[in-house]
């Protein structure tokens, strides 16, 4: 007989496996289908490997900083293969953790590629499974643009870049978005000569303009070259050829975004968005087909692991007919793990004005913060965007050390329906980087003490 489940989740990335566990915690019989590795792109070839590499690079920068302040030391050699080995250990630890949680929650893990039939029967390895509800969480894959000569040369995407056993000598990265810039910061402090090539007007176009400027200054300090508004005429075995320049490389990384894996929806005839690129869903992540939900990179919006997890939890709440807080994209933190880091959420000042808000925006630097000075991490700022009349927090940007942690303090106040008064009157431990958050909030209401 055909095996029956309450819920089948297709894709075991940060959206899929989280949804599967929550449904199982609620007493549902759940199957989780994955054709590759548990944890998906994020854990295996995305967030976790890149952050592990970035941690190695941050240690290198801290060694250089320590030398300036009297702790004299020298790095003799970088054993790059061991860095990759540590990355594998980190990934392996997390994969084992997911396996444990699936077993603990009695989730049936099915390895293989899923095909969904029109009658909502799921076929894996020629075996059929039936479910009351299905969540599609099949993620995305690297998008490779049609650049002349690229199909004739050896190049890397994030799918295989992290498995390099030898450190690149001259790395050219095609793509100046978050992925490309993070990997530039990961490699340059280790001694790799890095060049970033971007066809758009600037790097990190999804980020705050002032934040971009901080990152570009740091790229100059690290010796990372970058070219924007360029046309790539051709790629050869050892050069990227622009209109007026040839850039040599020993390794080439194509980091030009990701493409959703929507092929699985063909039999279901699901409605797509206007550009026919993503699956269309409602506020509960239900597709145009009853009992079929879609989350993560399949639906566009924020292609972020934590966004996918929240979407998965929201979809499960809808399946269970639970009362839940609606998914709010303005409360999804956006994190860039450069050094210094960038973190933001909500509306920019320009976006808030377009929505009709009377906006008050204030920015305070880390340059006068005692903890930042002691750390040697004074570059960056806190910017908070608010509505003038009620002091509602509309958005925020933090650039600096630990920015991706600090942003959650502001976001927690917004999520709890707090206003700028709550941030301004909170007592902050001293010395602490988060004091700059309080001072920025004070500056909105009245003049801050250290303004």
């Amino acid at each position: 007989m055909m095996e029956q489940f309450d819920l089948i989740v297709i894709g075991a990335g940060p959206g899929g496996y989280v949804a599967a566990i929550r449904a199982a915690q609620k007493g549902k019989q759940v199957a989780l289908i994955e054709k590759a590795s548990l944890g998906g792109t994020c854990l295996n070839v995305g967030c976790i490997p890149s952050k592990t590499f970035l941690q190695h690079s941050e240690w290198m920068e801290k060694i250089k900083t320590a030398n300036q302040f009297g702790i004299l030391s020298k790095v003799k050699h970088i054993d790059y293969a061991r860095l990759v080995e540590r990355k594998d250990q980190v990934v392996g630890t997390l994969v084992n953790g997911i396996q444990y949680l699936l077993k603990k929650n009695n989730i049936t893990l099915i390895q293989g590629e899923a095909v969904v039939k029109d009658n909502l029967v799921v076929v894996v390895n020629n075996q059929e499974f039936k479910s009351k509800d299905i969540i599609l969480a099949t993620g995305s894959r690297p998008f490779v643009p049609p650049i002349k000569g690229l199909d004739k040369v050896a190049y890397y995407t994030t799918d295989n870049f992290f498995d390099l056993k030898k450190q690149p000598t001259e790395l050219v990265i095609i793509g100046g978005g978050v992925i490309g810039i993070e990997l530039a910061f990961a490699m340059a402090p280790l001694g790799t000569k890095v060049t970033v090539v971007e066809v758009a007007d600037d790097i990190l176009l999804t980020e705050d303009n002032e934040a971009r400027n901080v990152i570009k200054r740091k790229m100059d300090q690290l010796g990372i070259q970058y070219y924007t508004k360029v046309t790539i005429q051709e790629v050869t075995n050892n050069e990227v050829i622009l209109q007026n320049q040839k850039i040599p490389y020993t390794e080439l990384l194509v980091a030009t975004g990701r493409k959703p894996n929507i092929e699985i929806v063909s039999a279901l005839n699901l409605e797509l968005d206007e550009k026919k690129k993503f699956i269309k869903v409602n506020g509960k992540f239900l597709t145009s087909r009853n009992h079929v939900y879609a989350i993560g990179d399949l639906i566009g919006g924020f292609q972020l692991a934590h966004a996918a997890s929240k979407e998965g939890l929201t979809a499960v709440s809808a399946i269970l007919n639970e009362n839940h807080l609606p998914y709010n994209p303005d409360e999804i933190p956006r994190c860039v793990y450069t050094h210094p880091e960038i973190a933001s959420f909500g509306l920019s000042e320009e976006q808030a004005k377009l929505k009709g808000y009377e906006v008050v925006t204030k920015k305070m630097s880390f340059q006068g913060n005692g903890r930042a000075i002691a750390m040697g991490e004074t570059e960056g700022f806190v910017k908070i965007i608010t509505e003038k009349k009620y002091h509602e927090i509309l958005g925020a940007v933090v650039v600096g050390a630990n920015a991706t942690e600090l942003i959650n303090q502001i976001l927690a106040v917004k999520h709890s329906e707090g206003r700028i008064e709550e941030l301004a009157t909170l007592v902050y431990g001293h010395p602490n980087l988060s004091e700059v958050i309080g001072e920025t909030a004070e500056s909105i209401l009245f003049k801050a003490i250290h303004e």
Side-chain angles (χ1 to χ4, degrees), residues 232-245:
I232 302 174
Q233 294 188 333
E234 188 178 0
V235 173
T236 70
N237 279 320
N238 54 18
E239 288 180 327
V240 174
I241 302 173
L242 309 181
Q243 288 168 305
N244 302 310
Q245 192 168 3

Side-chain angles (χ1 to χ4, degrees), residues 204 207 211 215 334-336 338 340-344 397-399 403-404:
L204 295 176
E207 304 307 315
I215 297 306
R334 305 180 293 274
C335 302
V336 184
T338 46
E341 296 176 344
I342 305 173
S344 59
V397 181
V398 181
V399 181
T404 57

Side-chain angles (χ1 to χ4, degrees), residues 40-195:
T41 294
C42 171
L43 201 158
N44 294 280
V45 293
C47 315
I48 301 304
S50 64
K51 299 333 168 259
T52 307
F53 273 53
L54 282 159
Q55 182 60 63
H56 297 152
S57 297
E58 186 178 339
W59 285 332
M60 284 293 293
E61 289 199 71
K62 287 187 181 300
I63 291 170
K64 292 177 183 177
T65 302
N67 271 277
Q68 297 174 23
F69 300 138
I71 302 177
L72 304 181
S73 59
K74 185 177 181 180
V75 177
K76 290 188 194 178
H77 171 67
I78 293 176
D79 188 339
Y80 192 78
R82 285 191 66 186
L83 302 189
V84 176
E85 182 182 335
R86 178 173 180 269
K87 179 269 298 181
D88 291 339
Q89 291 170 349
V90 171
V91 170
T93 298
L94 293 170
V95 169
N96 289 338
I98 295 173
Q99 288 175 331
Y100 166 77
L101 290 172
L102 298 180
K103 185 177 181 180
K104 176 185 175 183
N105 288 283
N106 297 313
I107 295 169
T108 300
L109 176 63
I110 303 169
Q111 293 284 163
E113 186 165 1
V115 175
V116 184
K117 292 186 175 181
D118 185 53
N119 60 354
L120 301 186
V121 169
V122 181
V123 183
V124 187
N125 302 325
N126 296 319
Q127 186 175 356
E128 293 187 335
F129 304 92
K130 183 68 175 175
S131 179
K132 297 175 184 176
D133 294 283
I134 294 172
I135 295 179
L136 303 176
T138 52
S140 62
R141 60 187 182 274
F143 168 71
V144 178
I147 299 172
K148 183 181 178 182
L150 192 58
D151 59 338
K152 298 180 176 64
V153 304
Y155 66 88
Y156 295 90
T157 68
T158 51
D159 277 358
N160 54 7
F161 179 77
F162 297 108
D163 292 328
L164 272 170
K165 295 299 188 288
K166 183 179 178 183
Q167 182 178 344
T169 304
E170 292 181 298
L171 174 66
V172 171
I173 301 174
I174 297 177
V178 173
I179 297 171
I181 299 303
E182 281 190 351
L183 291 178
F185 271 80
M187 302 309 299
L190 299 178
T192 296
K193 181 180 178 182
V194 180
T195 304

Side-chain angles (χ1 to χ4, degrees), residues 6 81 228 351 381 404:
D6 296 317
T228 58
Q351 289 169 335
F381 58 84
T404 57

